[in-house]
Amino acid sequence: MSAYTALALQTRCHAVNRCVSDAEARERMRANIERVGRQVLGSKAFIGPDLKLVVLPEYFLSGYPLGDALPAWASKAALAPDGVEYELLGQVARQAGVYLSGNVYETDAHFPGLYFQTSFVLDDQGACVLRYRRLVSLFAPTPHDVWDRYLELYGLEGVFPVADTPLGRLGCVASEEILYPEIARGLALRGAEVLLHSSSEVASPRFTPKDVAKRARAYENSCWVVSANSAGIVDVDIPGESVDGMSKIVDPLGEVRAEAGYGESMVAHAVIDIAALRRQRLKPGMGNLLARQRLELFAAQYADSVVSPNSMLKDGELQVPGRAHFLEQQRASIEKLLTRGVLRRD
């Protein structure tokens, strides 16, 4: 397998929150795709024909919901799996001749009124080869909230999808999920060699929890991490550059091969050698953490969930909650941890 160049494209988010209608929001998203498409093509012209993989930041298309009811945001900013926005993104991938990954809000006909935060991978012909729904979120629905029905529809393969591609086996980790080692490990145990991380995270000259986690996830799973951060967010009420910088590519030894500074940037690009990774994973030794896993040791500890599943199903029927649901759910989890003796009040 030939080595290739991957890019964590650090681009600005132009949010749709202030759009007064769904039509205006959709027009803004189309403009965002056109702008990002030009940046992808320009980056490939500069970096060269070996650029085969581009990862976009979280929120690159729409921004994030600010108090919108779930059905309202689904109508305003969520993509249909076969919608026009995916078609336009596929055109970008096809025209640039790259695999294109990013993170968007997406509807699902099986769960009307909800949306899922979804990481995708489009191949160089524009076809969707991977769709991953974020599993841990504080303020958005997840597959775990409709767990029984979701498993019935998509199986565990649809929860932890890995795409076997000419660029290696690709998996996606969404935003703060880089802080949850179980997600990256679950993908690695299904063969993932490159983790695509769309993020929109705090800008800081210091190490941040997410920034440390990127290195950790790469090393402990013997995989590459391609992490793209936003270059600021405009048209929202928070200071725009609160999220900026630190897009990077991390190799399987936890070393940063390339990193962007602040602002829109194509600097975070590096060569990924999958053949070398596969040779490394086959070598016995202390550093081969995947081959040293004793998973049965931890199974019982993980068996009793902290956050209860199916919080948006009642007697098997979908219940679309209000925004207050999310904090209520977390308070219930804290009480559960108190009851177990994991947490203490004094």
Side-chain angles (χ1 to χ4, degrees):
M1 178 177 287
S2 299
Y4 62 90
T5 299
L7 166 65
L9 181 61
Q10 192 166 283
T11 186
R12 190 163 292 112
C13 166
H14 294 254
V16 304
N17 302 86
R18 293 176 180 167
C19 295
V20 298
S21 67
D22 290 359
E24 183 182 353
R26 297 289 165 176
E27 185 58 37
R28 167 66 64 88
M29 289 193 287
R30 282 191 286 271
N32 288 341
I33 293 172
E34 291 176 7
R35 177 177 49 81
V36 168
R38 292 193 297 270
Q39 292 178 339
V40 171
L41 288 168
S43 297
K44 179 148 188 176
F46 190 92
I47 294 169
D50 286 342
L51 178 62
K52 300 295 185 183
L53 173 64
V54 177
V55 179
L56 302 173
E58 183 186 25
Y59 306 143
F60 81 93
L61 189 60
S62 64
Y64 56 91
L66 288 169
D68 303 77
L70 299 185
W73 186 255
S75 176
K76 183 178 187 177
L79 278 58
D82 58 352
V84 64
E85 292 88 1
Y86 274 123
E87 182 180 336
L88 294 172
L89 288 166
Q91 291 175 13
V92 172
R94 187 165 57 252
Q95 188 175 1
V98 299
Y99 277 63
L100 184 67
S101 181
N103 184 274
V104 297
Y105 294 94
E106 184 180 81
T107 59
D108 186 319
H110 298 103
F111 304 101
L114 294 186
Y115 55 78
F116 297 106
Q117 197 173 349
T118 301
S119 293
F120 63 84
V121 179
L122 307 178
D123 70 13
D124 54 7
Q125 298 303 306
C128 186
V129 296
L130 186 147
R131 173 171 280 113
Y132 165 80
R133 268 77 178 266
R134 179 172 171 173
L135 298 173
V136 178
S137 179
L138 185 57
F139 290 114
T142 74
H144 192 248
D145 293 309
V146 288
W147 188 234
D148 289 346
R149 179 69 173 139
Y150 201 89
L151 281 179
E152 179 184 310
L153 289 165
Y154 299 111
L156 202 57
E157 294 77 13
V159 177
F160 292 100
V162 173
D164 196 350
T165 78
L167 306 184
R169 293 174 178 174
L170 309 179
C172 289
V173 177
S175 187
E176 67 159 355
E177 288 188 326
I178 201 73
L179 300 174
Y180 294 82
E182 297 86 355
I183 293 175
R185 176 59 50 77
L187 292 167
L189 289 172
R190 289 180 173 270
E193 298 164 322
V194 186
L195 297 180
L196 313 181
H197 179 231
S198 295
S199 187
S200 188
E201 60 192 68
V202 63
S204 175
R206 300 169 63 97
F207 277 128
T208 64
K210 282 187 180 181
D211 213 36
V212 171
K214 296 168 192 177
R215 295 162 169 82
R217 299 297 86 82
Y219 181 77
E220 66 198 13
N221 294 298
S222 300
C223 66
W224 288 84
V225 172
V226 183
S227 177
N229 191 24
S230 301
I233 301 179
V234 298
D235 291 333
V236 293
D237 292 338
I238 67 168
E241 274 60 56
S242 298
V243 291
D244 197 355
M246 304 192 302
S247 296
K248 56 175 48 65
I249 297 181
V250 187
D251 73 14
L253 296 178
E255 298 287 340
V256 175
R257 292 292 186 91
E259 180 173 7
Y262 296 120
E264 294 197 302
S265 177
M266 62 178 185
V267 168
H269 67 271
V271 174
I272 290 180
D273 189 340
I274 294 296
L277 169 64
R278 291 176 178 175
R279 290 194 298 271
Q280 175 186 328
R281 283 180 161 188
L282 293 175
K283 293 180 180 178
M286 290 186 67
N288 193 337
L289 301 189
L290 270 182
R292 298 175 64 196
Q293 291 302 308
R294 301 171 186 257
L295 300 176
E296 298 83 2
L297 293 174
F298 316 111
Q301 191 69 33
Y302 280 100
D304 193 6
S305 182
V306 173
V307 180
S308 297
N310 298 311
S311 68
M312 297 183 187
L313 291 180
K314 186 176 181 180
D315 298 326
E317 297 296 323
L318 178 64
Q319 303 288 316
V320 179
R323 282 280 167 194
H325 164 84
F326 297 104
L327 286 180
E328 291 169 358
Q329 185 181 42
Q330 191 174 37
R331 291 190 186 99
S333 297
I334 292 171
E335 289 299 321
K336 185 183 292 187
L337 291 171
L338 281 165
T339 301
R340 293 182 189 176
V342 177
L343 305 182
R344 293 180 59 171
R345 294 189 186 277
D346 57 345

